[in-house]
Amino acid sequence: MEEYLLLLGADQFLRERSYAGGKSIRDFQIWTAIKGSKYKYNAYFDFCIDADHLSYEDIKNEIDYYKTQGYEPKSIVPLNDWTLKVANKLNKDYGLPYLDDEVVEACRNKHLMKEVFEKADIPTPKSKLFETIEQLKELIQTFEFPVIIKPVDFGGSGGVYLAHNEAECKEAYMKSQKVMAAYADSFKVSKNTFLIETFIDSNEEVSVEVLCGENFYEVITVTEKYLSPRPWFTEMGHLVPSHRYKDENIKKLAIQACKSLGINRGVAHIEIKIKDNNLYVIEAAARPGGDAIMDLVESSYSINPYQLHIEMYINNKLKPPFTFRPNSTSAIAFMKAQKGKIANINFPDISKDTEIKRISLLKNIGDIVSDPENWSSRDGLVQFGWPELPTTKIYKHINKANDLANKIFDSSDDYNE
């Protein structure tokens, strides 16, 4: 039998370097799953099975078929939140290493996650579950404003809204319901379950990438996060490493969060807010960070973190012999054009700007530019790199991206919202 690594979610935008990570481990074939693969074939991979990457039945049928053709999986590796449960179940079926079901459930259900954090005395915002407007009205009486309303198991800031009073809570709930009605079926998540959560009133936020093994935890890096203006919480930029990357309190709290959830396999992504020098774990995920954070880590540290993640799915007992020390700064910023309809797209000369590594446009002429509500409202991205390591919080990548957005996109206000 010829062995392959099946990377679920690997064809997702900004996760392309997962192929290189898998290929660097051993000479495995690297496969992914794409529904209608013959029409959507991704030639980066050695093979694309024809399966919805969120469908256990689809993927299992394909794996079983290709076993008859002489191929078997070495590991089925989840690369985003949505594929965690599917990959875990498949790994169990085929006798391959996997996470405990309770771990996966707690990492996907934010209500269970908060309960775990509270039991472990991990500082985290107060949070309560609700499914109806009546339940929300009762819970409002037990919270101080402002609060956050958000889905229990979604991501990318989808359906996350800030509320300053009861009326705004109801409005936020309706908007969050609308978002989940549009996306829940596609992502196979709950469309009826939400959280009300205490708002940590601070714009200071980091994410921590933690390498998790059976008997070891090590922080790879701390990423500085840049959020859109309120009332939205879209991540509009990331910088690796954060000027806080040596902060032992941040690193210890991130590891504590991973241990409390029982994550002992792969790279975990922990989001932490900072207010008045106090730290609060907002969420944790048993998968690598998105938004090209792994690409930034690779550029800054000369280590492909997807390689580390995949290795832990093959054998989580052996700690990789890497020293996590940055040698440069890498950043990404997401562009926002002026609201309206995009009338024209320009291409300014950036050939002499050595800090810009790439630009990708996410909108076309005729598209509507909306508020920065969630991941789907980004208009483009710019990736940067420079040799100096940060000593304070810097914004030059954000400022440059904003300037480029104004130069690239010409918007017209002649449209109907």
Side-chain angles (χ1 to χ4, degrees):
M1 285 281 189
E2 185 168 355
E3 293 181 313
Y4 62 90
L5 296 169
L6 180 57
L7 308 185
L8 299 184
D11 62 312
Q12 182 181 346
F13 182 49
L14 301 181
R15 293 191 184 273
E16 296 89 348
R17 293 295 296 166
S18 59
Y19 172 84
K23 210 65 177 175
S24 64
I25 294 172
R26 281 214 309 263
D27 193 26
F28 295 115
Q29 286 198 18
I30 309 299
W31 294 19
T32 194
I34 302 174
K35 186 67 175 176
S37 61
K38 288 194 176 181
Y39 282 99
K40 303 174 184 177
Y41 201 84
N42 188 329
Y44 280 110
F45 297 91
D46 296 315
F47 189 66
C48 301
I49 63 172
D50 186 359
D52 179 349
H53 68 289
L54 301 182
S55 171
Y56 165 82
E57 291 79 11
D58 281 4
I59 298 170
K60 189 172 189 307
N61 287 339
E62 288 288 288
I63 290 174
D64 289 345
Y65 168 74
Y66 284 104
K67 270 198 166 186
T68 68
Q69 305 301 304
Y71 299 92
E72 67 178 3
K74 178 67 175 179
S75 183
I76 298 144
V77 184
L79 295 179
N80 57 32
D81 286 326
W82 331 114
T83 57
L84 269 174
K85 290 184 179 181
V86 173
N88 220 47
K89 189 174 181 181
L90 289 166
N91 279 323
K92 287 174 69 176
D93 285 350
Y94 293 105
L96 303 172
Y98 61 92
L99 288 165
D100 288 343
D101 290 341
E102 296 80 6
V103 175
V104 173
E105 190 62 34
C107 289
R108 290 297 301 121
N109 185 309
K110 293 169 185 172
H111 174 61
L112 295 177
M113 182 186 299
K114 297 288 183 166
E115 288 186 334
V116 170
F117 289 160
E118 288 171 2
K119 288 178 183 176
D121 292 325
I122 292 173
T124 191
K126 175 184 173 182
S127 181
K128 295 295 181 182
L129 191 73
F130 70 95
E131 295 183 340
T132 66
I133 189 67
E134 290 76 22
Q135 291 173 344
L136 175 58
K137 287 178 181 178
E138 290 183 13
L139 288 172
I140 287 171
Q141 310 308 315
T142 67
F143 279 79
E144 292 184 6
F145 291 111
V147 297
I148 298 291
I149 303 295
K150 63 183 180 182
V152 75
D153 58 355
F154 203 39
S157 302
V160 180
Y161 296 100
L162 180 65
H164 294 87
N165 52 52
E166 185 171 342
E168 288 186 8
C169 275
K170 294 175 184 176
E171 182 183 359
Y173 175 40
M174 291 176 63
K175 290 194 292 187
S176 196
Q177 280 184 310
K178 187 175 180 180
V179 169
M180 297 314 295
Y183 290 106
D185 290 341
S186 297
F187 287 92
K188 294 181 171 54
V189 295
S190 170
K191 66 174 68 173
N192 300 314
T193 312
F194 300 84
L195 294 176
I196 178 172
E197 185 171 291
T198 298
F199 175 53
I200 305 299
D201 192 357
S202 170
N203 291 324
E204 299 302 302
E205 185 172 340
V206 297
S207 61
V208 187
E209 308 301 324
V210 182
L211 179 64
C212 305
E214 185 171 278
N215 294 304
F216 63 86
Y217 294 86
E218 188 169 355
V219 169
I220 299 171
T221 193
V222 178
T223 301
E224 194 72 18
K225 306 178 85 66
Y226 299 78
L227 305 179
S228 58
R230 297 176 190 173
W232 305 286
F233 298 96
T234 310
E235 293 169 353
M236 296 306 295
H238 306 279
L239 183 141
V240 172
S242 164
H243 63 284
R244 316 172 211 255
Y245 76 98
K246 293 183 179 180
D247 189 313
E248 290 300 323
N249 291 327
I250 289 174
K251 297 191 322 189
K252 286 177 183 177
L253 182 59
I255 289 173
Q256 186 183 359
C258 293
K259 287 182 176 179
S260 71
L261 291 166
I263 305 171
N264 64 354
R265 191 178 300 282
V267 173
H269 177 76
I270 317 302
E271 297 181 348
I272 296 174
K273 266 207 166 188
I274 305 160
K275 182 183 179 184
D276 301 329
N277 293 320
N278 294 315
L279 305 177
Y280 303 87
V281 178
I282 304 300
E283 293 176 6
R287 46 79 180 166
D291 277 358
I293 291 175
M294 299 299 97
D295 297 21
L296 304 183
V297 174
E298 185 174 7
S299 296
S300 182
Y301 286 74
S302 302
I303 294 169
N304 185 315
Y306 290 114
Q307 175 186 344
L308 304 178
H309 181 66
I310 296 165
E311 282 180 336
M312 291 300 98
Y313 268 81
I314 297 172
N315 180 4
N316 69 340
K317 297 177 178 60
L318 186 63
K319 183 178 178 180
F322 288 117
T323 300
F324 300 120
R325 185 179 298 117
N327 49 53
S328 62
T329 299
S330 300
I332 192 169
F334 295 95
M335 290 188 284
K336 279 306 298 175
Q338 296 298 315
K339 285 181 67 174
K341 180 185 286 188
I342 295 176
N344 190 42
I345 293 178
N346 310 295
F347 293 91
D349 183 10
I350 56 171
S351 59
K352 292 183 173 57
D353 191 327
T354 58
E355 292 183 341
I356 295 177
K357 304 306 177 187
R358 65 161 167 157
I359 294 179
S360 295
L361 304 186
L362 306 177
K363 292 284 173 66
N364 298 304
I365 292 174
D367 287 346
I368 302 300
V369 178
S370 61
D371 290 318
E373 189 167 325
N374 57 47
W375 87 97
S376 68
S377 53
R378 295 161 171 170
D379 304 321
L381 65 86
V382 191
Q383 189 169 330
F384 301 87
W386 53 85
E388 306 84 12
L389 293 176
T391 56
T392 60
K393 188 164 184 173
I394 57 177
Y395 292 84
K396 70 175 177 178
H397 59 304
I398 301 295
N399 295 335
K400 274 192 175 187
N402 289 338
D403 182 57
L404 279 167
N406 290 329
K407 291 178 179 178
I408 291 172
F409 298 106
D410 294 333
S411 296
S412 165
D413 59 6
D414 182 22
Y415 76 108
N416 294 317
E417 287 193 272

